[in-house]
Short mmCIF file of all heavy atoms in Angstrom, two decimals:
data_model
loop_
_atom_site.label_atom_id
_atom_site.label_comp_id
_atom_site.label_asym_id
_atom_site.label_seq_id
_atom_site.Cartn_x
_atom_site.Cartn_y
_atom_site.Cartn_z
N MET A 20 16.28 22.28 -1.67
CA MET A 20 16.28 20.86 -2.03
C MET A 20 16.66 20.04 -0.80
O MET A 20 17.65 20.33 -0.13
CB MET A 20 17.30 20.63 -3.16
CG MET A 20 17.15 19.28 -3.79
SD MET A 20 18.20 19.17 -5.27
CE MET A 20 18.58 17.44 -5.24
N THR A 21 15.87 19.07 -0.51
CA THR A 21 16.15 18.24 0.67
C THR A 21 16.70 16.89 0.24
O THR A 21 16.38 16.39 -0.83
CB THR A 21 14.87 18.02 1.51
OG1 THR A 21 13.89 17.43 0.66
CG2 THR A 21 14.33 19.32 2.06
N THR A 22 17.52 16.36 1.08
CA THR A 22 18.07 15.04 0.82
C THR A 22 17.00 14.00 1.16
O THR A 22 16.44 14.03 2.24
CB THR A 22 19.31 14.79 1.71
OG1 THR A 22 20.20 15.87 1.50
CG2 THR A 22 19.98 13.48 1.37
N PRO A 23 16.70 13.10 0.20
CA PRO A 23 15.68 12.09 0.53
C PRO A 23 16.16 11.15 1.64
O PRO A 23 17.34 10.86 1.76
CB PRO A 23 15.50 11.33 -0.79
CG PRO A 23 16.68 11.68 -1.62
CD PRO A 23 17.25 12.96 -1.12
N LEU A 24 15.24 10.72 2.44
CA LEU A 24 15.57 9.77 3.51
C LEU A 24 15.98 8.44 2.89
O LEU A 24 15.43 8.05 1.87
CB LEU A 24 14.35 9.52 4.39
CG LEU A 24 13.95 10.63 5.35
CD1 LEU A 24 12.61 10.30 5.98
CD2 LEU A 24 15.01 10.77 6.44
N PRO A 25 16.92 7.75 3.48
CA PRO A 25 17.21 6.40 3.00
C PRO A 25 15.96 5.51 3.17
O PRO A 25 15.14 5.76 4.04
CB PRO A 25 18.36 5.93 3.88
CG PRO A 25 18.43 6.88 5.01
CD PRO A 25 17.76 8.15 4.59
N VAL A 26 15.85 4.52 2.32
CA VAL A 26 14.63 3.73 2.25
C VAL A 26 14.29 3.09 3.60
O VAL A 26 13.13 2.94 3.96
CB VAL A 26 14.71 2.67 1.13
CG1 VAL A 26 15.78 1.62 1.45
CG2 VAL A 26 13.38 2.05 0.86
N PHE A 27 15.31 2.75 4.39
CA PHE A 27 15.03 2.07 5.66
C PHE A 27 14.48 3.02 6.71
O PHE A 27 13.99 2.60 7.75
CB PHE A 27 16.27 1.34 6.18
CG PHE A 27 17.52 2.20 6.16
CD1 PHE A 27 17.76 3.09 7.17
CD2 PHE A 27 18.42 2.09 5.11
CE1 PHE A 27 18.90 3.88 7.16
CE2 PHE A 27 19.57 2.88 5.09
CZ PHE A 27 19.80 3.78 6.11
N ALA A 28 14.55 4.34 6.43
CA ALA A 28 14.04 5.30 7.41
C ALA A 28 12.61 5.73 7.09
O ALA A 28 11.97 6.35 7.91
CB ALA A 28 14.96 6.52 7.46
N GLU A 29 12.14 5.40 5.90
CA GLU A 29 10.77 5.77 5.54
C GLU A 29 9.80 4.82 6.22
O GLU A 29 10.14 3.68 6.50
CB GLU A 29 10.59 5.65 4.02
CG GLU A 29 11.40 6.66 3.25
CD GLU A 29 11.35 6.40 1.74
OE1 GLU A 29 10.64 5.45 1.32
OE2 GLU A 29 12.00 7.14 1.01
N PRO A 30 8.57 5.30 6.43
CA PRO A 30 7.57 4.38 6.98
C PRO A 30 7.33 3.23 6.00
O PRO A 30 7.26 3.45 4.80
CB PRO A 30 6.31 5.25 7.10
CG PRO A 30 6.75 6.65 6.91
CD PRO A 30 8.05 6.63 6.17
N TRP A 31 7.23 2.05 6.53
CA TRP A 31 6.99 0.90 5.66
C TRP A 31 5.51 0.81 5.30
O TRP A 31 4.65 1.19 6.10
CB TRP A 31 7.41 -0.38 6.38
CG TRP A 31 8.87 -0.53 6.54
CD1 TRP A 31 9.83 0.39 6.24
CD2 TRP A 31 9.55 -1.67 7.07
NE1 TRP A 31 11.06 -0.12 6.54
CE2 TRP A 31 10.94 -1.36 7.05
CE3 TRP A 31 9.14 -2.90 7.57
CZ2 TRP A 31 11.89 -2.28 7.49
CZ3 TRP A 31 10.09 -3.80 8.01
CH2 TRP A 31 11.45 -3.50 7.97
N PRO A 32 5.22 0.29 4.12
CA PRO A 32 3.81 0.11 3.75
C PRO A 32 3.12 -0.83 4.73
O PRO A 32 3.76 -1.69 5.35
CB PRO A 32 3.89 -0.53 2.36
CG PRO A 32 5.28 -0.25 1.87
CD PRO A 32 6.15 -0.13 3.08
N GLU A 33 1.83 -0.66 4.84
CA GLU A 33 1.06 -1.48 5.76
C GLU A 33 1.22 -2.96 5.41
O GLU A 33 1.15 -3.35 4.24
CB GLU A 33 -0.42 -1.08 5.65
CG GLU A 33 -1.22 -1.52 6.85
CD GLU A 33 -2.68 -1.08 6.73
OE1 GLU A 33 -2.92 -0.02 6.11
OE2 GLU A 33 -3.53 -1.80 7.25
N GLY A 34 1.42 -3.78 6.40
CA GLY A 34 1.51 -5.22 6.18
C GLY A 34 2.91 -5.73 5.93
O GLY A 34 3.15 -6.93 5.98
N VAL A 35 3.85 -4.82 5.66
CA VAL A 35 5.22 -5.27 5.39
C VAL A 35 5.91 -5.57 6.71
O VAL A 35 5.97 -4.74 7.61
CB VAL A 35 6.00 -4.21 4.60
CG1 VAL A 35 7.47 -4.58 4.47
CG2 VAL A 35 5.38 -4.02 3.22
N THR A 36 6.44 -6.79 6.82
CA THR A 36 7.08 -7.20 8.07
C THR A 36 8.60 -7.19 7.96
O THR A 36 9.29 -7.07 8.97
CB THR A 36 6.61 -8.60 8.49
OG1 THR A 36 6.88 -9.52 7.42
CG2 THR A 36 5.12 -8.61 8.79
N HIS A 37 9.13 -7.37 6.75
CA HIS A 37 10.58 -7.34 6.53
C HIS A 37 10.84 -6.74 5.17
O HIS A 37 10.01 -6.86 4.26
CB HIS A 37 11.18 -8.75 6.56
CG HIS A 37 11.01 -9.45 7.87
ND1 HIS A 37 9.84 -10.08 8.23
CD2 HIS A 37 11.87 -9.61 8.89
CE1 HIS A 37 10.00 -10.61 9.43
NE2 HIS A 37 11.22 -10.34 9.86
N ARG A 38 12.02 -6.14 5.03
CA ARG A 38 12.41 -5.61 3.72
C ARG A 38 13.86 -5.99 3.45
O ARG A 38 14.71 -5.86 4.34
CB ARG A 38 12.33 -4.07 3.70
CG ARG A 38 10.98 -3.52 3.94
CD ARG A 38 10.94 -2.03 3.67
NE ARG A 38 10.11 -1.80 2.50
CZ ARG A 38 9.75 -0.62 2.05
NH1 ARG A 38 10.20 0.46 2.65
NH2 ARG A 38 8.97 -0.52 1.01
N TYR A 39 14.12 -6.39 2.21
CA TYR A 39 15.49 -6.63 1.77
C TYR A 39 15.85 -5.55 0.77
O TYR A 39 15.12 -5.32 -0.19
CB TYR A 39 15.61 -8.01 1.14
CG TYR A 39 15.43 -9.13 2.15
CD1 TYR A 39 14.19 -9.71 2.36
CD2 TYR A 39 16.51 -9.56 2.91
CE1 TYR A 39 14.02 -10.71 3.30
CE2 TYR A 39 16.36 -10.56 3.86
CZ TYR A 39 15.11 -11.14 4.05
OH TYR A 39 14.95 -12.12 4.98
N LEU A 40 16.96 -4.88 1.00
CA LEU A 40 17.38 -3.77 0.16
C LEU A 40 18.20 -4.29 -1.02
O LEU A 40 19.12 -5.08 -0.84
CB LEU A 40 18.22 -2.80 1.00
CG LEU A 40 18.73 -1.52 0.33
CD1 LEU A 40 17.57 -0.63 -0.08
CD2 LEU A 40 19.66 -0.79 1.29
N THR A 41 17.88 -3.83 -2.23
CA THR A 41 18.67 -4.21 -3.40
C THR A 41 19.83 -3.24 -3.58
O THR A 41 19.87 -2.19 -2.92
CB THR A 41 17.82 -4.22 -4.69
OG1 THR A 41 17.55 -2.87 -5.08
CG2 THR A 41 16.51 -4.97 -4.51
N HIS A 42 20.72 -3.57 -4.48
CA HIS A 42 21.91 -2.74 -4.70
C HIS A 42 21.58 -1.37 -5.25
O HIS A 42 22.39 -0.44 -5.17
CB HIS A 42 22.88 -3.45 -5.64
CG HIS A 42 23.42 -4.72 -5.08
ND1 HIS A 42 24.29 -4.75 -4.01
CD2 HIS A 42 23.17 -6.01 -5.39
CE1 HIS A 42 24.58 -6.01 -3.72
NE2 HIS A 42 23.91 -6.80 -4.54
N VAL A 43 20.42 -1.21 -5.87
CA VAL A 43 20.08 0.07 -6.49
C VAL A 43 18.99 0.82 -5.72
O VAL A 43 18.43 1.80 -6.21
CB VAL A 43 19.68 -0.10 -7.97
CG1 VAL A 43 20.88 -0.57 -8.78
CG2 VAL A 43 18.51 -1.05 -8.13
N GLY A 44 18.66 0.37 -4.52
CA GLY A 44 17.77 1.14 -3.68
C GLY A 44 16.31 0.73 -3.70
O GLY A 44 15.49 1.37 -3.06
N ALA A 45 15.97 -0.31 -4.46
CA ALA A 45 14.61 -0.86 -4.36
C ALA A 45 14.58 -1.79 -3.15
O ALA A 45 15.61 -2.03 -2.50
CB ALA A 45 14.24 -1.60 -5.63
N THR A 46 13.42 -2.30 -2.83
CA THR A 46 13.33 -3.27 -1.74
C THR A 46 12.50 -4.45 -2.19
O THR A 46 11.65 -4.34 -3.07
CB THR A 46 12.68 -2.66 -0.47
OG1 THR A 46 11.38 -2.17 -0.82
CG2 THR A 46 13.52 -1.55 0.12
N VAL A 47 12.76 -5.58 -1.57
CA VAL A 47 11.88 -6.73 -1.71
C VAL A 47 11.13 -6.84 -0.38
O VAL A 47 11.74 -7.07 0.66
CB VAL A 47 12.65 -8.02 -2.03
CG1 VAL A 47 11.68 -9.18 -2.27
CG2 VAL A 47 13.55 -7.83 -3.25
N ASP A 48 9.84 -6.58 -0.44
CA ASP A 48 9.03 -6.50 0.78
C ASP A 48 8.42 -7.85 1.11
O ASP A 48 7.84 -8.51 0.24
CB ASP A 48 7.90 -5.48 0.58
CG ASP A 48 8.43 -4.06 0.45
OD1 ASP A 48 9.64 -3.85 0.66
OD2 ASP A 48 7.62 -3.17 0.15
N VAL A 49 8.52 -8.23 2.36
CA VAL A 49 7.92 -9.48 2.83
C VAL A 49 6.71 -9.11 3.67
O VAL A 49 6.76 -8.22 4.51
CB VAL A 49 8.94 -10.30 3.65
CG1 VAL A 49 8.29 -11.53 4.26
CG2 VAL A 49 10.14 -10.68 2.80
N THR A 50 5.61 -9.79 3.40
CA THR A 50 4.37 -9.53 4.15
C THR A 50 3.90 -10.83 4.81
O THR A 50 4.19 -11.92 4.34
CB THR A 50 3.26 -9.02 3.22
OG1 THR A 50 3.08 -9.94 2.15
CG2 THR A 50 3.60 -7.66 2.64
N GLY A 51 3.15 -10.66 5.87
CA GLY A 51 2.57 -11.82 6.55
C GLY A 51 3.60 -12.56 7.37
O GLY A 51 4.61 -12.00 7.81
N GLY A 52 3.38 -13.84 7.58
CA GLY A 52 4.29 -14.65 8.39
C GLY A 52 3.80 -16.08 8.42
O GLY A 52 2.72 -16.39 7.92
N GLY A 53 4.62 -16.93 9.00
CA GLY A 53 4.25 -18.35 9.10
C GLY A 53 4.01 -18.95 7.73
O GLY A 53 4.78 -18.73 6.80
N ASP A 54 2.92 -19.69 7.60
CA ASP A 54 2.60 -20.34 6.32
C ASP A 54 1.94 -19.40 5.34
O ASP A 54 1.58 -19.79 4.24
CB ASP A 54 1.67 -21.54 6.55
CG ASP A 54 2.41 -22.70 7.19
OD1 ASP A 54 3.64 -22.78 7.01
OD2 ASP A 54 1.77 -23.51 7.87
N ARG A 55 1.72 -18.16 5.74
CA ARG A 55 1.05 -17.20 4.85
C ARG A 55 1.94 -15.98 4.61
O ARG A 55 1.56 -14.85 4.86
CB ARG A 55 -0.30 -16.79 5.46
CG ARG A 55 -1.30 -17.94 5.46
CD ARG A 55 -2.67 -17.50 5.91
NE ARG A 55 -3.25 -16.48 5.05
CZ ARG A 55 -3.81 -16.72 3.86
NH1 ARG A 55 -3.84 -17.92 3.38
NH2 ARG A 55 -4.35 -15.73 3.18
N THR A 56 3.14 -16.26 4.15
CA THR A 56 4.11 -15.20 3.89
C THR A 56 4.22 -14.95 2.39
O THR A 56 4.35 -15.89 1.61
CB THR A 56 5.49 -15.58 4.46
OG1 THR A 56 5.34 -15.94 5.84
CG2 THR A 56 6.47 -14.42 4.35
N GLY A 57 4.15 -13.68 2.00
CA GLY A 57 4.30 -13.30 0.60
C GLY A 57 5.49 -12.38 0.45
O GLY A 57 6.06 -11.90 1.43
N TYR A 58 5.86 -12.08 -0.79
CA TYR A 58 6.98 -11.18 -1.04
C TYR A 58 6.76 -10.48 -2.36
O TYR A 58 6.08 -10.97 -3.25
CB TYR A 58 8.33 -11.92 -1.03
CG TYR A 58 8.34 -13.14 -1.92
CD1 TYR A 58 8.73 -13.06 -3.24
CD2 TYR A 58 7.95 -14.37 -1.42
CE1 TYR A 58 8.73 -14.18 -4.06
CE2 TYR A 58 7.93 -15.50 -2.22
CZ TYR A 58 8.33 -15.40 -3.54
OH TYR A 58 8.31 -16.51 -4.35
N ARG A 59 7.36 -9.30 -2.49
CA ARG A 59 7.18 -8.51 -3.71
C ARG A 59 8.34 -7.54 -3.84
O ARG A 59 8.72 -6.86 -2.89
CB ARG A 59 5.87 -7.71 -3.60
CG ARG A 59 5.49 -6.95 -4.86
CD ARG A 59 4.19 -6.20 -4.66
NE ARG A 59 4.35 -5.13 -3.68
CZ ARG A 59 4.77 -3.91 -3.98
NH1 ARG A 59 5.07 -3.60 -5.22
NH2 ARG A 59 4.90 -2.99 -3.06
N CYS A 60 8.88 -7.47 -5.05
CA CYS A 60 9.96 -6.53 -5.34
C CYS A 60 9.35 -5.19 -5.74
O CYS A 60 8.41 -5.14 -6.54
CB CYS A 60 10.84 -7.07 -6.46
SG CYS A 60 12.20 -5.96 -6.89
N THR A 61 9.88 -4.10 -5.20
CA THR A 61 9.36 -2.78 -5.56
C THR A 61 10.03 -2.23 -6.82
O THR A 61 9.67 -1.17 -7.30
CB THR A 61 9.57 -1.77 -4.41
OG1 THR A 61 10.97 -1.63 -4.15
CG2 THR A 61 8.85 -2.21 -3.15
N GLY A 62 11.02 -2.96 -7.35
CA GLY A 62 11.70 -2.50 -8.55
C GLY A 62 11.18 -3.17 -9.81
O GLY A 62 11.00 -2.53 -10.83
N CYS A 63 10.92 -4.45 -9.76
CA CYS A 63 10.48 -5.18 -10.94
C CYS A 63 9.19 -5.94 -10.62
O CYS A 63 8.54 -5.67 -9.63
CB CYS A 63 11.58 -6.13 -11.42
SG CYS A 63 11.84 -7.53 -10.33
N ILE A 64 8.85 -6.88 -11.48
CA ILE A 64 7.57 -7.58 -11.29
C ILE A 64 7.71 -8.84 -10.45
O ILE A 64 6.72 -9.55 -10.23
CB ILE A 64 6.95 -7.95 -12.65
CG1 ILE A 64 7.90 -8.86 -13.44
CG2 ILE A 64 6.63 -6.68 -13.46
CD1 ILE A 64 7.26 -9.48 -14.67
N TYR A 65 8.91 -9.12 -9.95
CA TYR A 65 9.12 -10.33 -9.16
C TYR A 65 8.28 -10.30 -7.89
O TYR A 65 8.20 -9.28 -7.20
CB TYR A 65 10.60 -10.44 -8.79
CG TYR A 65 10.95 -11.66 -7.99
CD1 TYR A 65 11.16 -12.88 -8.62
CD2 TYR A 65 11.09 -11.58 -6.61
CE1 TYR A 65 11.50 -14.00 -7.88
CE2 TYR A 65 11.44 -12.71 -5.87
CZ TYR A 65 11.63 -13.92 -6.52
OH TYR A 65 11.95 -15.01 -5.78
N GLY A 66 7.65 -11.42 -7.60
CA GLY A 66 6.87 -11.49 -6.37
C GLY A 66 6.17 -12.82 -6.28
O GLY A 66 6.24 -13.66 -7.18
N SER A 67 5.47 -13.01 -5.18
CA SER A 67 4.79 -14.28 -4.96
C SER A 67 3.41 -14.31 -5.61
O SER A 67 2.70 -15.30 -5.52
CB SER A 67 4.69 -14.56 -3.46
OG SER A 67 4.10 -13.47 -2.78
N SER A 68 3.04 -13.21 -6.30
CA SER A 68 1.81 -13.18 -7.10
C SER A 68 0.57 -13.65 -6.34
O SER A 68 -0.22 -14.42 -6.85
CB SER A 68 1.98 -14.03 -8.36
OG SER A 68 3.11 -13.63 -9.07
N GLY A 69 0.44 -13.18 -5.13
CA GLY A 69 -0.74 -13.52 -4.36
C GLY A 69 -0.70 -14.89 -3.72
O GLY A 69 -1.60 -15.27 -2.98
N GLN A 70 0.36 -15.65 -4.02
CA GLN A 70 0.49 -16.95 -3.37
C GLN A 70 1.24 -16.78 -2.06
O GLN A 70 1.99 -15.84 -1.86
CB GLN A 70 1.27 -17.91 -4.27
CG GLN A 70 0.48 -18.37 -5.47
CD GLN A 70 1.27 -19.44 -6.21
OE1 GLN A 70 2.34 -19.18 -6.74
NE2 GLN A 70 0.73 -20.64 -6.25
N TYR A 71 1.02 -17.73 -1.17
CA TYR A 71 1.69 -17.66 0.12
C TYR A 71 2.63 -18.84 0.29
O TYR A 71 2.39 -19.93 -0.21
CB TYR A 71 0.66 -17.66 1.26
CG TYR A 71 -0.17 -16.41 1.26
CD1 TYR A 71 -1.49 -16.45 0.85
CD2 TYR A 71 0.37 -15.22 1.67
CE1 TYR A 71 -2.26 -15.30 0.84
CE2 TYR A 71 -0.39 -14.06 1.68
CZ TYR A 71 -1.70 -14.10 1.26
OH TYR A 71 -2.44 -12.97 1.26
N TRP A 72 3.70 -18.58 1.01
CA TRP A 72 4.75 -19.56 1.23
C TRP A 72 5.06 -19.60 2.71
O TRP A 72 4.71 -18.69 3.46
CB TRP A 72 6.01 -19.16 0.46
CG TRP A 72 5.76 -19.07 -1.00
CD1 TRP A 72 5.27 -17.98 -1.67
CD2 TRP A 72 5.89 -20.09 -1.97
NE1 TRP A 72 5.12 -18.26 -2.99
CE2 TRP A 72 5.50 -19.57 -3.21
CE3 TRP A 72 6.32 -21.42 -1.92
CZ2 TRP A 72 5.52 -20.31 -4.37
CZ3 TRP A 72 6.35 -22.14 -3.09
CH2 TRP A 72 5.95 -21.59 -4.29
N HIS A 73 5.77 -20.67 3.10
CA HIS A 73 6.26 -20.67 4.47
C HIS A 73 7.29 -19.55 4.59
O HIS A 73 8.01 -19.26 3.63
CB HIS A 73 6.89 -22.02 4.83
CG HIS A 73 7.22 -22.11 6.29
ND1 HIS A 73 8.42 -21.65 6.80
CD2 HIS A 73 6.49 -22.54 7.33
CE1 HIS A 73 8.41 -21.83 8.12
NE2 HIS A 73 7.26 -22.36 8.47
N GLU A 74 7.36 -18.92 5.74
CA GLU A 74 8.21 -17.74 5.86
C GLU A 74 9.68 -18.03 5.55
O GLU A 74 10.38 -17.17 5.02
CB GLU A 74 8.06 -17.08 7.23
CG GLU A 74 8.40 -17.95 8.42
CD GLU A 74 8.08 -17.23 9.73
OE1 GLU A 74 7.88 -16.00 9.71
OE2 GLU A 74 8.03 -17.91 10.76
N ASN A 75 10.15 -19.24 5.84
CA ASN A 75 11.55 -19.57 5.52
C ASN A 75 11.79 -19.49 4.03
O ASN A 75 12.80 -18.95 3.57
CB ASN A 75 11.90 -20.97 6.01
CG ASN A 75 11.95 -21.06 7.51
OD1 ASN A 75 11.94 -20.05 8.20
ND2 ASN A 75 11.97 -22.27 8.04
N VAL A 76 10.86 -20.02 3.24
CA VAL A 76 10.97 -20.01 1.78
C VAL A 76 10.86 -18.58 1.27
O VAL A 76 11.64 -18.14 0.42
CB VAL A 76 9.88 -20.91 1.15
CG1 VAL A 76 9.95 -20.84 -0.37
CG2 VAL A 76 10.02 -22.34 1.64
N ALA A 77 9.88 -17.85 1.78
CA ALA A 77 9.65 -16.48 1.32
C ALA A 77 10.87 -15.60 1.59
O ALA A 77 11.29 -14.83 0.72
CB ALA A 77 8.41 -15.90 1.99
N HIS A 78 11.45 -15.72 2.75
CA HIS A 78 12.62 -14.90 3.08
C HIS A 78 13.81 -15.27 2.23
O HIS A 78 14.56 -14.41 1.78
CB HIS A 78 12.96 -15.03 4.57
CG HIS A 78 12.10 -14.19 5.45
ND1 HIS A 78 12.49 -12.95 5.91
CD2 HIS A 78 10.85 -14.39 5.92
CE1 HIS A 78 11.52 -12.42 6.64
NE2 HIS A 78 10.51 -13.28 6.67
N GLU A 79 13.99 -16.57 2.00
CA GLU A 79 15.09 -17.03 1.17
C GLU A 79 14.97 -16.46 -0.24
O GLU A 79 15.93 -15.96 -0.82
CB GLU A 79 15.04 -18.55 1.12
CG GLU A 79 16.38 -19.23 0.94
CD GLU A 79 16.27 -20.72 1.19
OE1 GLU A 79 15.97 -21.44 0.23
OE2 GLU A 79 16.44 -21.14 2.35
N ARG A 80 13.77 -16.53 -0.80
CA ARG A 80 13.55 -16.03 -2.16
C ARG A 80 13.69 -14.51 -2.21
O ARG A 80 14.26 -13.97 -3.15
CB ARG A 80 12.16 -16.44 -2.64
CG ARG A 80 12.08 -17.92 -2.88
CD ARG A 80 10.76 -18.29 -3.45
NE ARG A 80 10.70 -19.73 -3.66
CZ ARG A 80 9.77 -20.34 -4.35
NH1 ARG A 80 8.80 -19.65 -4.90
NH2 ARG A 80 9.78 -21.65 -4.50
N ALA A 81 13.16 -13.83 -1.21
CA ALA A 81 13.23 -12.37 -1.18
C ALA A 81 14.68 -11.92 -1.10
O ALA A 81 15.11 -11.01 -1.82
CB ALA A 81 12.44 -11.83 0.00
N GLN A 82 15.44 -12.56 -0.25
CA GLN A 82 16.84 -12.16 -0.09
C GLN A 82 17.65 -12.48 -1.34
O GLN A 82 18.46 -11.66 -1.79
CB GLN A 82 17.46 -12.84 1.13
CG GLN A 82 18.90 -12.38 1.37
CD GLN A 82 19.39 -12.66 2.76
OE1 GLN A 82 18.74 -13.36 3.54
NE2 GLN A 82 20.54 -12.13 3.10
N ALA A 83 17.43 -13.65 -1.92
CA ALA A 83 18.14 -14.04 -3.13
C ALA A 83 17.84 -13.06 -4.27
O ALA A 83 18.73 -12.67 -5.03
CB ALA A 83 17.76 -15.46 -3.53
N HIS A 84 16.58 -12.65 -4.36
CA HIS A 84 16.22 -11.71 -5.42
C HIS A 84 16.85 -10.34 -5.16
O HIS A 84 17.36 -9.71 -6.08
CB HIS A 84 14.69 -11.58 -5.52
CG HIS A 84 14.29 -10.64 -6.61
ND1 HIS A 84 14.31 -11.00 -7.94
CD2 HIS A 84 13.89 -9.35 -6.57
CE1 HIS A 84 13.94 -9.96 -8.67
NE2 HIS A 84 13.67 -8.95 -7.87
N ALA A 85 16.82 -9.89 -3.91
CA ALA A 85 17.39 -8.58 -3.57
C ALA A 85 18.87 -8.51 -3.91
O ALA A 85 19.39 -7.46 -4.27
CB ALA A 85 17.17 -8.27 -2.09
N GLU A 86 19.56 -9.64 -3.82
CA GLU A 86 21.00 -9.65 -4.10
C GLU A 86 21.30 -9.46 -5.58
O GLU A 86 22.39 -9.05 -5.94
CB GLU A 86 21.61 -10.97 -3.61
CG GLU A 86 21.72 -11.02 -2.10
CD GLU A 86 22.09 -12.40 -1.58
OE1 GLU A 86 22.26 -13.33 -2.39
OE2 GLU A 86 22.17 -12.54 -0.35
N LYS A 87 20.36 -9.78 -6.47
CA LYS A 87 20.67 -9.72 -7.89
C LYS A 87 19.81 -8.74 -8.69
O LYS A 87 20.14 -8.43 -9.83
CB LYS A 87 20.57 -11.11 -8.51
CG LYS A 87 19.16 -11.64 -8.55
CD LYS A 87 19.11 -13.03 -9.13
CE LYS A 87 17.66 -13.48 -9.22
NZ LYS A 87 17.49 -14.87 -9.54
N CYS A 88 18.72 -8.22 -8.13
CA CYS A 88 17.83 -7.36 -8.90
C CYS A 88 18.46 -5.98 -9.09
O CYS A 88 18.95 -5.37 -8.15
CB CYS A 88 16.48 -7.20 -8.19
SG CYS A 88 15.32 -6.20 -9.16
N LEU A 89 18.44 -5.49 -10.32
CA LEU A 89 18.99 -4.17 -10.61
C LEU A 89 17.93 -3.21 -11.13
O LEU A 89 18.24 -2.15 -11.67
CB LEU A 89 20.14 -4.29 -11.63
CG LEU A 89 21.37 -5.05 -11.12
CD1 LEU A 89 22.40 -5.21 -12.22
CD2 LEU A 89 22.00 -4.35 -9.92
N ALA A 90 16.67 -3.57 -10.98
CA ALA A 90 15.59 -2.67 -11.40
C ALA A 90 15.46 -1.54 -10.39
O ALA A 90 15.48 -1.76 -9.19
CB ALA A 90 14.28 -3.44 -11.50
N LEU A 91 15.34 -0.34 -10.90
CA LEU A 91 15.22 0.82 -10.02
C LEU A 91 13.86 0.84 -9.35
O LEU A 91 12.87 0.37 -9.94
CB LEU A 91 15.41 2.10 -10.82
CG LEU A 91 16.82 2.36 -11.33
CD1 LEU A 91 16.80 3.51 -12.33
CD2 LEU A 91 17.76 2.67 -10.18
N PRO A 92 13.79 1.37 -8.14
CA PRO A 92 12.47 1.51 -7.51
C PRO A 92 11.58 2.44 -8.30
O PRO A 92 12.05 3.42 -8.88
CB PRO A 92 12.79 2.08 -6.12
CG PRO A 92 14.16 2.65 -6.23
CD PRO A 92 14.86 1.91 -7.33
N ARG A 93 10.31 2.12 -8.35
CA ARG A 93 9.36 3.00 -9.06
C ARG A 93 9.15 4.27 -8.26
O ARG A 93 9.15 4.25 -7.04
CB ARG A 93 8.02 2.29 -9.22
CG ARG A 93 8.09 1.07 -10.11
CD ARG A 93 6.70 0.51 -10.32
NE ARG A 93 6.78 -0.86 -10.75
CZ ARG A 93 6.53 -1.91 -9.97
NH1 ARG A 93 6.16 -1.73 -8.73
NH2 ARG A 93 6.64 -3.12 -10.45
N PRO A 94 8.93 5.42 -8.96
CA PRO A 94 8.62 6.64 -8.23
C PRO A 94 7.35 6.44 -7.41
O PRO A 94 6.44 5.74 -7.85
CB PRO A 94 8.40 7.68 -9.33
CG PRO A 94 9.04 7.11 -10.55
CD PRO A 94 8.96 5.61 -10.41
N THR A 95 7.30 7.06 -6.24
CA THR A 95 6.15 6.85 -5.38
C THR A 95 5.04 7.84 -5.65
O THR A 95 3.97 7.73 -5.10
CB THR A 95 6.56 6.93 -3.89
OG1 THR A 95 7.31 8.12 -3.70
CG2 THR A 95 7.43 5.74 -3.51
N GLN A 96 5.30 8.89 -6.47
CA GLN A 96 4.24 9.85 -6.75
C GLN A 96 3.88 9.86 -8.22
O GLN A 96 4.68 9.53 -9.05
CB GLN A 96 4.66 11.26 -6.33
CG GLN A 96 4.67 11.41 -4.82
CD GLN A 96 5.79 12.33 -4.38
OE1 GLN A 96 6.39 13.02 -5.19
NE2 GLN A 96 6.09 12.34 -3.10
ZN1 LIG B 30 13.27 -7.10 -8.61
#
């Protein structure tokens, strides 16, 4: 049995530029940049739903969500 790598050591999905770690090990992934920045939680359904925001707004929302989301990350397989 091997110890799983912490989430920050795994390769990030394509397009993800920043990740905010939640208390239970999910991440809120930020994609894009500038005026075309999106975000998505890997634990729950929270996200920008295909809409784009200025990166300041997207990061603020992603971080705020990461601080309070308690949904577990979905299995990757
Ligand atoms: Zn969430």
Side-chain angles (χ1 to χ4, degrees):
M20 193 172 149
T21 57
T22 306
L24 286 171
V26 66
F27 48 82
E29 293 172 2
W31 289 6
E33 199 179 329
V35 173
T36 56
H37 298 81
R38 298 189 113 173
Y39 292 94
L40 182 65
T41 73
H42 296 291
V43 294
T46 57
V47 184
D48 293 352
V49 175
T50 55
D54 287 334
R55 292 187 61 78
T56 306
Y58 50 91
R59 186 180 67 86
C60 180
T61 61
C63 71
I64 60 169
Y65 181 81
S67 53
S68 306
Q70 288 187 296
Y71 294 107
W72 301 85
H73 189 273
E74 59 186 345
N75 291 348
V76 177
H78 280 263
E79 210 168 88
R80 290 185 181 192
Q82 183 161 9
H84 181 77
E86 287 169 0
K87 68 182 183 190
C88 183
L89 295 176
L91 290 169
R93 295 186 200 104
T95 50
Q96 288 145 12

